[in-house]
Amino acid sequence: MRFRHPDGSTVHLAYCTNVHPAETLDGVLAQLREHCEPVRRRLGRDRLGIGLWLAKDAAHALVTDPSALRGLRNELDRRGLEVVTLNGFPYEGFGAEEVKYRVYRPDWADPERLDHTTALARVLAGLLPDDITEGTISTLPLAWRTVYDDARAEKAHAALLTLGERLDALAELTGRSIRVGLEPEPGCVVETTGDALAPLTAIAHHRIGICVDTCHLATSFEDPHTALDALATARVPIVKSQLSAALHAEHPHRPEVRAALAAFDEPRFLHQTRTTTPADLRGTDDLGEALEAGTLPDAAPWRAHFHVPLHAAPAAPLTSTLPVLKAALARLVGGPHPLTRHLEVETYTWQALPPDLRPRGRAQLADGIAAELTLARDLLTDLGLKELP
């Protein structure tokens, strides 16, 4: 979906396909047919943007076979779909029964991460619509914090510098500018937007910036205006933003609130949980740990890294951080010029919701994704953007 900003620029809205597990190119093609096109039809649009997730095997197949890349591009066109952004964070196995810490491997100190991201950039250059010259990719925020030391930091820094050189060369070769954004996430080396300032200013490459995920922003209790102002002051480019909402518990000391939270403690994904104290931010790596008695202070609200559907906040006594998303979006695209032109709804946890909230089959999932995109569209038009055909 495309929108015209009051300054005349085009802002793109997509939804991320990591909600549909697929490790191979055949699986990606099936996604387009079984999920993405039905969502587009529900929205009544001739064109729908998708933020494509390509696992390593699918990316390899596309970057090594020009005919396969042309075939995917043709299939996108045939189904009324377009791609301007990729989710390059998960490497493989995102649809596995247990993802947890695996999603952070390989990290930016491992050669595989650079190779994979380079492949994604080359693929994206070939998938961009004919009238679009800029694409974006979100990626791992360096590494999970416990495996990072000075030696690995040096390797990661060198890898990102090499990536910048490769993106420059790709732009010269293809005329397509691909930018990559580190996506801060709780528990990682770069947990907050503030953590991103030092490494990104050290790299100082115009094609490498930050991806602001509004669920992660909220989970770490960052104020959107303060965070985005700091990025602007440091001249760190906001490559893209993922529109997502975290799980919020206002009164975690109450037994009924803990019981409600426990329903979201599931085995597939990591649900980092955070709270504030007068001194600092406190947290656990997973929701189950937080729920153990005495582990986490409960005098202030808790937030958990669980991407809940944008249009359907959890039932009381829980809610979502949709207000943080709205505040961030207003700052991102509500000003005289957009701070980013690529927006991506990213609720990958539909099938991880408590059983009574999960969609029953493809049709219900498509309904839910379409409802999320409708909410995002309404927020954008309320900010003065005009939806384009």
Side-chain angles (χ1 to χ4, degrees):
M1 301 168 76
R2 298 187 186 189
F3 297 80
R4 180 74 67 212
H5 190 274
D7 75 345
S9 62
T10 300
V11 173
H12 295 264
L13 173 66
Y15 90 88
C16 187
T17 64
N18 62 356
V19 63
H20 313 304
E23 298 289 319
T24 65
L25 180 54
D26 285 344
V28 171
L29 294 171
Q31 285 178 350
L32 306 184
R33 178 181 68 250
E34 297 171 0
H35 298 287
C36 302
E37 187 177 10
V39 171
R40 178 183 65 76
R41 292 186 182 280
R42 278 164 172 75
L43 291 166
R45 306 302 299 163
D46 293 334
R47 174 173 55 192
L48 175 67
I50 57 172
L52 203 57
W53 173 58
L54 297 172
K56 67 153 188 170
D57 288 344
H60 180 76
L62 290 166
V63 81
T64 57
D65 185 352
S67 66
L69 184 58
R70 286 193 300 271
L72 175 57
R73 172 67 190 278
N74 291 338
E75 190 70 0
L76 289 165
D77 292 342
R78 189 166 77 87
R79 299 193 180 279
L81 306 168
E82 68 177 13
V83 175
V84 302
T85 190
L86 301 180
N87 186 332
F89 196 133
Y91 181 70
E92 61 181 341
F94 201 62
E97 290 186 5
E98 182 178 331
V99 178
K100 298 288 186 183
Y101 294 95
R102 290 173 49 190
V103 76
Y104 307 106
R105 301 192 301 266
D107 63 37
W108 273 102
D110 298 319
E112 295 87 354
R113 178 61 65 173
L114 174 60
D115 292 343
H116 178 59
T117 309
T118 302
L120 292 178
R122 290 172 177 163
V123 168
L124 182 54
L127 293 180
L128 289 177
D130 291 339
D131 61 338
I132 301 297
T133 59
E134 294 184 0
T136 58
I137 302 170
S138 47
T139 189
L140 179 79
L142 298 182
W144 185 253
R145 69 186 189 283
T146 59
V147 298
Y148 209 61
D149 56 22
D150 289 345
R152 293 186 69 77
E154 187 175 340
K155 290 180 180 178
H157 182 85
L160 287 169
L161 288 174
T162 299
L163 176 67
E165 294 170 356
R166 292 180 179 179
L167 295 176
D168 285 344
L170 183 64
E172 284 189 28
L173 180 67
T174 66
R176 303 292 179 88
S177 174
I178 307 299
R179 298 191 298 160
V180 174
L182 302 183
E183 180 187 334
E185 177 165 318
C188 292
V189 173
V190 175
E191 168 155 342
T192 66
T193 57
D195 295 335
L197 297 180
L200 288 176
T201 51
I203 293 163
H205 195 287
H206 66 290
R207 299 192 199 278
I208 299 177
I210 194 169
C211 167
V212 176
D213 183 302
T214 58
C215 169
H216 304 170
L217 190 80
T219 301
S220 295
F221 287 88
E222 289 195 81
D223 174 73
H225 294 284
T226 302
L228 297 176
D229 285 349
L231 293 173
T233 299
R235 299 184 181 276
V236 171
I238 302 173
V239 168
K240 65 185 279 191
S241 179
Q242 289 172 323
L243 307 182
S244 52
L247 193 62
H248 180 94
E250 186 69 19
H251 302 290
H253 64 282
R254 294 179 179 173
E256 66 272 22
V257 175
R258 292 195 173 229
L261 283 170
F264 287 83
D265 179 27
E266 54 82 38
R268 178 178 294 181
F269 300 111
L270 208 59
H271 300 297
Q272 302 93 313
T273 304
R274 298 289 185 268
T275 188
T276 57
T277 72
D280 56 12
L281 188 70
R282 300 281 298 279
T284 60
D285 282 357
D286 214 346
L287 180 55
E289 298 172 49
L291 291 170
E292 294 174 6
T295 304
L296 202 59
D298 58 9
W302 287 4
R303 290 176 178 172
H305 174 217
F306 195 118
H307 290 222
V308 296
L310 302 187
H311 68 293
L318 303 178
T319 187
S320 82
T321 60
L322 185 62
V324 176
L325 183 159
K326 291 179 178 179
L329 190 62
R331 183 71 177 85
L332 287 166
V333 300
H337 304 287
L339 302 183
T340 184
R341 292 187 296 274
H342 289 183
L343 306 171
E344 178 184 62
V345 171
E346 196 214 12
T347 304
Y348 59 83
T349 42
W350 280 94
Q351 299 300 340
L353 290 166
D356 59 324
L357 301 179
R358 292 175 196 167
R360 292 172 174 80
R362 293 177 192 163
Q364 282 194 8
L365 178 58
D367 289 342
I369 294 170
E372 288 193 293
L373 286 166
T374 297
L375 182 147
R377 178 187 64 194
D378 291 346
L379 292 177
L380 291 173
T381 55
D382 288 346
L383 289 170
L385 282 74
K386 180 182 179 182
E387 187 176 6
L388 299 175

